[in-house]
Amino acid sequence: MGPDCYVGLDLGTSGCRAIAIDSERRVLAESRVALPASRHGPSGASEQDPNGWWLAVVESLRAMAAQKPGRILALSVDGTSSTLLLCDAAGQSLAPALMYDDRQAREQASLIAQLAPGDSPARGSGSALSKLLYLVDRVGPGKAKYALHQADWINGKLSGKFGISDENNALKLGYDPLNRRWPAWLSGPSIPAGLLPHVVPVGTRLGPIVAEVARTLGLAQGVMLVAGTTDSNAAALAAGLTRTGDAVTSLGSTLVLKLYSDRPLNSSRYGVYSHRFGDGWLAGGASNSGGAVLRQFFNDTEIARLSRQIDPGRPLGLGYYPLPGVGERFPRSDPEMQARMEPRPNEPHAFLQAILEGIADIEAEGYARLVELGTTAPVRVFTSGGGAVNETWRQIRERRLGIPVLRASQTEAAFGSALLALGAMSRGGQA
């Protein structure tokens, strides 16, 4: 039969990944399936067909189960933050899902700005709440039963119970994680409060996967479904954050900072918000800078080769602020901000070094911003994402931050979700 195991399922921007671990946190099996790219439009649209997610989930879990890792006891799902769809009572999506980077809901964001507190994560055209109002206008009033995030909808497909979310995913829909309730300002006539999901703590047991669905996925009956989190929070959990002052920097397409704090921290101006995380809070923000800038000039092979020619102990100090396009959200809030990437050195490795140093400067400014807003200073930084493998960059960042910068032992969000599944079965808890 093999050991008892626990599965994490991660739905990212471009792929779905499943990881099975045992009670000792050892990886037993894993699989990855690509997702179709988002459809983008001139109005700021970024949309995906939710049915494509489900097909990827089925394929990924089947491939993982075929490796026979052991007796699967529980499964937890994470998804991209602030990705939202509307569905009917049967869970059928009524329109394409609006992805985390969709910015079509500008008019709706103006309405929310009149209702929501100044530090609410529900403010802004990228919030899940703005997208909810946009989608209601798009599909028509009275047609939807539930507003669900990416992970919520997959959980509904697995359990047969739609209309449930977790405290982390619900944050940008307006949920108050401090008082653990939907706030009173959401009950106004402009907000379709009846569409809001029932919210449970991260790690809550949601019930078993439907038997027929389990057979389709190649799973045994009785696999427990556990409430998950957002993809970046799952990655932070995988990285090993355990105490106040621990931080994780995700070096993916964008630069995402998360800092384990003993208090919540919110600033809508700088896109800073806090999730409940264990016994504390995970405060952070996301810059538009990151790997997407590097990809405009270098491929992975070139980055690896040129990085070996860089002396991280001799900074160029050119003061770059690398951005892939116009606008920045954190640690500076300026929708019209332009990239600063001049002067350009003649040698390709020096140009790469200037970009790496510039992103490291943004990282340092980001953590300084979090401290300025009232949280504890980081004492060590774990690194996840594709950029975590670059040792030269790690040394540049460690020199700039002045604290230890460590590569996370586990960098996959799916591993963090598997830890949630393991933890839920260890301590119990029913929705």
Side-chain angles (χ1 to χ4, degrees):
M1 173 67 73
D4 291 345
C5 59
Y6 311 86
V7 175
L9 187 70
D10 166 56
L11 283 153
T13 305
S14 58
C16 175
R17 182 160 191 168
I19 288 180
I21 65 171
D22 64 13
S23 59
E24 300 300 319
R25 304 185 175 194
R26 292 176 295 221
V27 175
L28 304 176
E30 53 188 308
S31 63
R32 185 193 297 272
V33 175
L35 284 169
S38 299
R39 297 184 296 272
H40 293 95
S43 61
S46 180
E47 302 179 350
Q48 288 187 3
D49 179 0
N51 295 306
W53 306 339
W54 179 243
L55 292 175
V57 166
V58 171
E59 186 178 350
S60 183
L61 288 178
R62 280 177 174 171
M64 186 274 304
Q67 298 173 48
K68 301 187 182 305
R71 185 177 66 159
I72 298 171
L73 298 184
L75 182 150
S76 184
V77 182
D78 70 76
T80 49
S81 174
S82 200
T83 293
L84 196 83
L85 62 87
L86 294 184
C87 66
D88 61 20
Q92 182 65 41
S93 61
L94 301 175
L98 303 187
M99 297 300 290
Y100 67 95
D101 56 345
D102 187 280
R103 292 295 183 271
Q104 296 179 90
R106 289 181 285 272
E107 181 179 336
Q108 291 75 14
S110 297
L111 172 61
I112 293 169
Q114 300 172 30
L115 302 172
D119 61 354
S120 172
R123 297 169 70 99
S125 61
S127 78
L129 186 59
S130 294
K131 292 168 185 170
L132 186 160
L133 299 184
Y134 177 89
L135 285 170
V136 168
D137 289 343
R138 183 167 173 174
V139 306
K143 295 184 178 180
K145 177 66 174 178
Y146 304 115
L148 298 175
H149 305 90
Q150 189 174 37
D152 307 339
W153 188 75
I154 294 297
N155 284 338
K157 296 282 285 185
L158 292 167
S159 68
K161 297 187 294 186
F162 293 91
I164 300 174
S165 188
D166 64 85
E167 290 185 325
N168 289 175
N169 271 295
L171 182 72
K172 295 180 184 177
L173 198 54
Y175 182 78
D176 177 358
L178 184 61
N179 296 297
R180 303 192 120 154
R181 66 189 182 198
W182 293 109
W185 62 266
L186 278 172
S187 62
S190 302
I191 307 294
L195 298 179
L196 299 177
H198 172 64
V199 180
V200 300
V202 171
T204 298
R205 294 188 187 188
L206 300 176
I209 294 174
V210 175
E212 182 179 351
V213 175
R215 284 193 296 271
T216 299
L217 300 172
L219 306 177
Q221 291 191 31
V223 176
M224 182 61 62
L225 186 63
V226 174
T229 180
T230 64
D231 56 348
S232 59
N233 284 351
L237 184 61
L241 272 65
T242 59
R243 62 178 189 248
T244 299
D246 279 355
V248 60
T249 296
S250 177
L251 298 174
S253 296
T254 58
L255 175 70
V256 182
L257 311 185
K258 301 276 188 178
L259 178 60
Y260 197 5
S261 173
D262 59 0
R263 70 195 71 179
L265 184 69
N266 294 290
S267 170
S268 60
R269 177 183 177 188
Y270 294 111
V272 174
Y273 48 87
S274 299
H275 291 281
R276 279 190 177 270
F277 192 79
D279 296 325
W281 297 85
L282 203 57
S287 168
N288 289 338
S289 187
V293 181
L294 293 170
R295 293 291 185 278
Q296 291 178 338
F297 302 99
F298 307 100
N299 59 38
D300 288 345
T301 301
E302 290 170 333
I303 291 173
R305 176 176 58 82
L306 295 172
S307 292
R308 291 192 291 270
Q309 301 177 39
I310 295 172
D311 181 355
R314 299 182 63 183
L316 298 178
L318 295 181
Y320 278 18
Y321 201 108
L323 292 171
V326 177
E328 176 64 305
R329 47 187 171 154
F330 171 83
R332 308 182 189 185
S333 178
D334 183 356
E336 304 302 324
M337 185 173 180
Q338 301 284 335
R340 185 171 64 248
M341 299 178 66
E342 294 288 345
R344 179 167 177 168
N346 292 326
E347 300 85 357
H349 75 275
F351 182 48
L352 173 62
Q353 180 177 352
I355 296 175
L356 297 180
E357 288 180 1
I359 299 175
D361 287 343
I362 296 171
E363 180 183 9
E365 185 177 338
Y367 283 119
R369 179 73 70 197
L370 296 178
V371 173
E372 173 191 312
L373 293 171
T375 193
T376 307
V379 296
R380 61 178 180 173
V381 175
F382 295 94
T383 310
S384 64
V389 300
N390 191 314
E391 172 61 18
T392 301
W393 201 1
R394 188 200 66 79
Q395 293 181 44
I396 289 172
R397 294 168 52 232
E398 187 170 73
R399 188 177 190 278
R400 179 66 180 83
L401 291 171
I403 55 177
V405 173
L406 314 168
R407 184 181 177 189
S409 58
Q410 292 289 342
T411 62
E412 294 289 345
F415 184 88
S417 288
L419 292 178
L420 288 176
L422 168 61
M425 298 307 288
S426 301
R427 66 177 180 272
Q430 188 77 28

